[in-house]
Amino acid sequence: MPAMDELARRRYEKLVDRLESQMRAALKPEYEGYYGQLILGADDLAEMGELKDVQRAAREAGRRLGWKTTTHLVGGRLFVLDEREVPEGIERLVGDAAAAAMDRFWEEGRRPRLT
């Protein structure tokens, strides 16, 4: 039985490492580690194992990154979010980026379509 415990521990650590890598890759450098999120679809979840184990591993991976990690299951997707308080400068930067994206969207909507 101890061999199974060791195998389960190694599997769990591998899952934590994998999630941490995905979470780190999803971060935007200009946000200095804030506004982290990872969305895992049903196929990802099925591949990774039991939901409770994936949630636990995601929280551990978040701790490694300094996140205040929460997980939410919505419509078969697992949302892993960093809910830390965001510094004002970063919050302003994100707001400006969102406003610029909305401006681009509206400008593209006004262009005549060539069909």
Side-chain angles (χ1 to χ4, degrees), residues 86-98:
V86 179
E88 189 177 317
I90 301 295
E91 195 170 333
R92 191 172 25 258
L93 182 64
V94 170
D96 292 346

Side-chain angles (χ1 to χ4, degrees), residues 33-105:
Y34 289 93
Y35 286 104
Q37 69 175 10
L38 178 66
I39 303 169
L40 300 170
D43 292 340
D44 297 317
L45 292 173
E47 176 189 320
M48 291 180 180
E50 293 288 321
L51 177 62
K52 64 179 178 49
D53 295 333
V54 176
Q55 288 176 305
R56 190 173 130 230
R59 287 190 296 270
E60 174 64 29
R63 276 192 291 278
R64 289 181 181 182
L65 295 171
W67 292 13
K68 179 181 176 188
T69 310
T70 61
T71 61
H72 304 279
L73 186 64
V74 179
R77 292 185 192 100
L78 182 66
F79 290 77
V80 182
L81 307 170
D82 175 11
E83 294 194 347
R84 290 179 293 168
E85 189 72 29
V86 179
E88 189 177 317
I90 301 295
E91 195 170 333
R92 191 172 25 258
L93 182 64
V94 170
D96 292 346
M102 290 300 294
D103 287 345
R104 284 190 304 275
F105 172 79

